[in-house]
Amino acid sequence: MNALGGWRNGFTADFFLESTPTIPNPPNSLAVPPVEGSPTETSNSFLHLVQSSMMHPSEHHPKIQRAFAHLSTIYGIRPKGFFAETGLDGAEELDASLFVRAAELTADYMEWAREGEEARNWSYEGFYV
């Protein structure tokens, strides 16, 4: 087993990068429309992710989202190839977007509670397979 999900057959960094967005797109956003002349997008991709997770009934959901945001601040300037030594196929292609991508996947799986989706709980299936 390697550091980044070696227990999952068929998981590669290439697939991860091709199939995950770098800009969160919360469904049914309840955000107030921007005032004329103000920026329409936030410069921090984690803002929507953390705010939505705060409304989730699982206390661990905001914790993981904040951890991804923190790791992004630490490793956020790392260039492509920094994670090459993880042993994961294609890891040389990973860059600092790894953390926002993982946070986006987590939000999609757990559902966007603040935006009106029904909250989902953690799955333990992978631990027993």
Side-chain angles (χ1 to χ4, degrees):
M1 178 182 336
N2 61 42
L4 292 174
W7 60 88
R8 302 274 187 208
N9 292 333
F11 180 86
T12 65
D14 294 335
F15 175 76
F16 176 71
L17 291 171
E18 291 171 7
S19 61
T20 55
T22 58
I23 299 173
N25 186 19
N28 307 319
S29 180
L30 300 175
V32 176
V35 176
E36 188 173 324
S38 68
T40 57
E41 293 183 20
T42 179
S43 60
N44 186 340
S45 298
F46 285 97
L47 184 60
H48 292 296
L49 294 161
V50 172
Q51 285 178 338
S52 184
S53 72
M54 298 296 285
M55 300 302 295
H56 198 279
S58 170
E59 65 186 33
H60 299 292
H61 186 46
K63 291 176 185 179
I64 188 70
Q65 296 299 54
R66 288 192 324 257
F68 285 136
H70 177 70
L71 290 169
S72 182
T73 62
I74 294 172
Y75 297 105
I77 59 171
R78 301 296 192 255
K80 184 166 79 169
F82 178 80
F83 301 102
E85 300 301 318
T86 62
L88 181 66
D89 291 339
E92 62 278 356
E93 296 298 319
L94 292 174
D95 59 13
S97 70
L98 164 69
F99 303 105
V100 74
R101 291 171 189 269
E104 172 77 16
L105 289 175
T106 302
D108 288 346
Y109 177 79
M110 297 296 285
E111 302 293 353
W112 295 79
R114 181 183 71 161
E115 290 73 18
E117 292 187 345
E118 187 174 336
R120 183 185 291 174
N121 206 352
W122 297 102
S123 169
Y124 300 104
E125 183 177 324
F127 291 113
Y128 304 109
V129 175

